[in-house]
Amino acid sequence: MQDKYIDETKQGEAFAIAEKPANSKKLFLESYGCQMNFSDSEIVASILNEQGYNTTLKPEEADLILLNTCSIREKAEQTVRMRLSQFKNLKKERPNLTVGVLGCMAERLKTKFLEEEQLVDLVVGPDAYRDLPNLLKETDDGRDAINVILSKEETYADINPVRLGGNGVTAFVTITRGCDNMCTFCVVPFTRGRERSRDPHSIIEECKGLWNSGYKEITLLGQNVDSYLWYGGGAKKDFKNATEMQKLTAVSFAKLLEMVAVAVPEMRIRFSTSNPHDMTTEVFKVMAEHANICKYIHLPVQSGSNTMLEKMNRQHTREEYLSLISKAKELVPDISFSQDMIIGFCGETEEDHQLTLSLMREVEYDYGYMFAYSERPGTPAHKKMEDDIPADVKQRRLAEVIALQGELSRKRMEGYVGRSHEILIEGTSRKNENQWKGRNSQNAVCVFDKQVGQKLGDMVSVFVYGNTQGTLLGTQATSAVV
Ligand code: SF4
């Protein structure tokens, strides 16, 4: 996972949760970056809700202000520093106000954050949220507090996330934490630690709980869902040897996907983010066998050039990636893909750039997340490679990649026109309050007129008669609910 959901220029999002009448303290919690961070904020809100904190959307009302930070690019960190500076006056007026930073930037900077940002009292890494109650005792006594220890075990499996914001219809369920792939440009292995998979039974329980609370779609979430692997069903003594234990009890990602599809048969299921190096055709077979698993994969590739893929340590070639794509298209009819691309990585030639464009034409992605390479301190690329592509060349190449993706997106959207799609109603269209918005199985957004009696979470059949570059335009038959 690199940057599926990140718009590092945008101020973070704060959400409020159901109040606990007995709670007397107020928490202002703002999240930045990828979906993993937003899901972690739901864990933090749950832990602090048990410690007497209700959330508020107004920082001026808060006893505790927490920013869950992102470190994916320099710009993301600048945005957090800018936001912190906006609390300077509040802190002056109310010295007992505690200001803390969580997430990847906290983990990357550690004590430096306390040194560089005077108003910060608390620094907590992604694996230390359980320690928040203790750390807050220290800050309440006027001391700075920090815990940035990364864990090999922590999955917060037993903590019931408090759903922050959202539409009450779609939710994210974390299945892995951390990442063992050492892509040379990426900070994640340093800010989120070693990979660990969550107990499948706790995942199934969470999915069933969400279905019973009215959710209609879940996304199984991880930096790299394909390397999900959990085993430990039986006690060691029950098995002749470790291999037998593994064989008998190992739950791979394909197996987990199947278990979830069977456990909540009417729930729509998505997953993100996939990694070409760890993805197996077993996943495609399970997708084809279960109608409730959406026919869409976010499959970052980062570059179309083998030279760049090697320098990025992506552990796969262009050819291996393309054969995975064609295998998926063969086994899962109507499947769609989206991508992540890094433009202007160290040493990228014009020929490498052309290979990226040609790979995009071959796959025909529905959409993608494309960014110019931003050197991250502490990564292998930062230590061993020169960020030698001039900014204007990076921007020109990025513009070409974005323009091509625009063409491909429009072509893909046109491919959905002239037939009906099952759409999950997720909300009201931003542009027209008389229209619903939702997505088809391929994750394409569709807008269509509302009908009396319909509500969020209804699955409706919509005939698509037109499209824009990124949106399908649809119409419903009179009794469209499926
Ligand atoms: S190291 Fe690679 S696979 Fe892991 S999170 Fe970063 S980009 Fe994704």
Side-chain angles (χ1 to χ4, degrees):
M1 175 187 286
Q2 253 286 318
D3 39 30
K4 189 166 179 207
Y5 293 97
I6 299 171
D7 172 355
E8 62 258 38
T9 59
K10 205 168 92 213
Q11 178 178 309
E13 290 180 65
F15 300 103
I17 56 171
E19 306 293 341
K20 268 197 174 157
N23 287 353
S24 59
K25 292 176 277 185
K26 287 263 169 68
L27 162 67
F28 176 81
L29 173 54
E30 200 166 72
S31 307
Y32 293 77
C34 69
Q35 191 50 50
M36 280 307 284
N37 251 10
F38 283 76
S39 295
D40 280 359
S41 291
E42 297 183 336
I43 299 276
V44 168
S46 179
I47 291 169
L48 293 176
N49 205 233
E50 296 305 313
Q51 298 298 316
Y53 287 89
N54 285 337
T55 52
T56 172
L57 293 175
K58 301 188 181 119
E60 59 277 13
E61 284 180 1
D63 303 288
L64 172 61
I65 290 178
L66 294 178
L67 300 187
N68 195 352
T69 66
C70 170
S71 184
I72 206 75
R73 275 176 290 278
E74 185 53 30
K75 185 82 183 100
E77 295 198 354
Q78 287 165 5
T79 304
V80 166
R81 290 186 191 276
M82 188 117 73
R83 183 60 168 143
L84 282 170
S85 67
Q86 293 165 3
F87 300 134
K88 273 205 179 84
N89 294 340
L90 214 51
K91 184 84 177 175
K92 269 203 207 101
E93 290 156 20
R94 300 175 38 228
N96 293 336
L97 168 66
T98 301
V99 176
V101 287
L102 316 176
C104 293
M105 189 180 170
E107 186 65 45
R108 190 180 80 74
L109 291 174
K110 301 181 170 55
T111 45
K112 263 178 79 191
F113 222 141
L114 292 168
E115 293 149 17
E116 293 173 0
E117 300 287 343
Q118 293 308 312
L119 92 160
V120 170
D121 313 296
L122 177 63
V123 176
V124 191
D127 287 347
Y129 297 146
R130 269 182 216 277
D131 196 25
L132 272 165
N134 302 324
L135 296 167
L136 288 168
K137 288 198 186 95
E138 288 183 52
T139 54
D140 288 350
D141 295 345
R143 292 188 301 276
D144 285 348
I146 181 166
N147 184 340
V148 286
I149 299 169
L150 288 173
S151 159
K152 285 206 174 84
E153 278 84 40
E154 182 61 86
T155 64
Y156 302 116
D158 59 323
I159 296 179
N160 207 4
V162 168
R163 302 294 157 180
L164 295 173
N167 54 14
V169 169
T170 61
F172 288 85
V173 176
T174 301
I175 65 169
T176 66
R177 296 184 69 81
C179 186
D180 286 351
N181 291 342
M182 297 299 276
C183 302
T184 54
F185 53 80
C186 184
V187 287
V188 171
F190 308 96
T191 59
R192 285 188 165 271
R194 294 284 67 71
E195 210 163 74
R196 63 229 93 124
S197 298
R198 186 178 156 196
D199 171 342
H201 308 297
S202 73
I203 294 170
I204 301 278
E205 283 320 301
E206 186 176 336
C207 297
K208 286 182 178 168
L210 285 165
W211 176 257
N212 297 336
S213 338
Y215 285 82
K216 295 290 189 295
E217 179 184 291
I218 49 161
T219 299
L220 301 178
L221 187 67
Q223 315 288 162
N224 171 8
V225 292
D226 295 294
S227 59
Y228 176 92
L229 184 62
W230 188 85
Y231 52 86
K236 273 207 176 54
K237 65 177 173 30
D238 303 340
F239 302 97
K240 285 201 220 69
N241 54 47
T243 324
E244 188 201 68
M245 179 179 85
Q246 276 192 339
K247 244 192 283 132
L248 283 173
T249 61
V251 177
S252 67
F253 178 59
K255 181 74 187 148
L256 176 73
L257 196 53
E258 184 174 43
M259 288 165 71
V260 173
V262 171
V264 279
E266 293 168 79
M267 181 82 96
R268 229 185 198 189
I269 299 162
R270 299 183 186 277
F271 52 87
S272 184
T273 292
S274 293
N275 184 292
H277 167 61
D278 300 298
M279 184 158 242
T280 66
T281 54
E282 288 313 302
V283 172
F284 307 147
K285 291 178 186 152
V286 172
M287 289 175 79
E289 279 158 21
H290 295 272
N292 61 334
I293 301 176
C294 292
K295 308 306 181 245
Y296 156 73
I297 299 178
H298 179 61
L299 196 59
V301 68
Q302 310 299 1
S303 172
S305 146
N306 283 338
T307 314
M308 288 296 104
L309 290 171
E310 190 161 348
K311 289 187 89 170
M312 291 172 169
N313 189 31
R314 292 292 287 171
Q315 303 174 69
H316 66 81
T317 62
R318 171 193 174 96
E319 293 71 24
E320 285 163 342
Y321 183 86
L322 290 171
S323 98
L324 201 60
I325 293 281
S326 49
K327 197 74 191 162
K329 287 181 177 176
E330 179 198 319
L331 291 171
V332 188
D334 233 1
I335 194 167
S336 72
F337 300 95
S338 58
Q339 44 87 349
D340 285 357
M341 287 293 180
I342 291 180
I343 309 306
F345 188 61
C346 314
E348 184 188 71
T349 63
E350 197 54 35
E351 193 205 340
D352 295 324
H353 171 54
Q354 292 306 323
L355 285 165
T356 295
L357 296 172
S358 67
L359 179 133
M360 289 170 69
R361 289 191 194 93
E362 210 163 321
V363 177
E364 291 201 345
Y365 296 101
D366 277 33
Y367 60 92
Y369 301 85
M370 300 144 280
F371 289 90
Y373 172 57
S374 165
E375 189 179 60
R376 304 310 297 131
T379 58
H382 171 243
K383 290 179 188 151
K384 299 187 194 123
M385 303 177 201
E386 195 198 341
D387 181 7
D388 56 358
I389 308 301
D392 61 334
V393 174
K394 278 185 187 175
Q395 290 314 317
R396 189 261 303 163
R397 289 179 185 168
L398 179 60
E400 288 173 12
V401 167
I402 291 173
L404 172 59
Q405 185 53 60
E407 283 170 35
L408 295 173
S409 297
R410 189 173 287 281
K411 185 176 175 201
R412 286 287 304 169
M413 291 295 123
E414 281 158 10
Y416 295 121
V417 174
R419 53 191 165 120
S420 292
H421 299 255
E422 278 200 1
I423 307 286
L424 175 64
I425 297 179
E426 294 176 40
T428 293
S429 160
R430 256 177 319 113
K431 293 193 179 135
N432 180 345
E433 62 179 26
N434 301 317
Q435 290 201 315
W436 290 122
K437 72 169 181 194
R439 287 168 295 148
N440 67 2
S441 176
Q442 287 75 18
N443 214 34
V445 174
C446 183
V447 293
F448 48 96
D449 292 349
K450 294 182 178 181
Q451 286 187 356
V452 178
Q454 289 180 333
K455 61 188 184 314
L456 292 190
D458 284 355
M459 192 74 89
V460 291
S461 174
V462 176
F463 179 79
V464 173
Y465 64 84
N467 68 284
T468 66
Q469 178 183 311
T471 305
L472 302 177
L473 311 174
T475 179
Q476 299 185 67
T478 41
S479 57
V481 175
V482 290

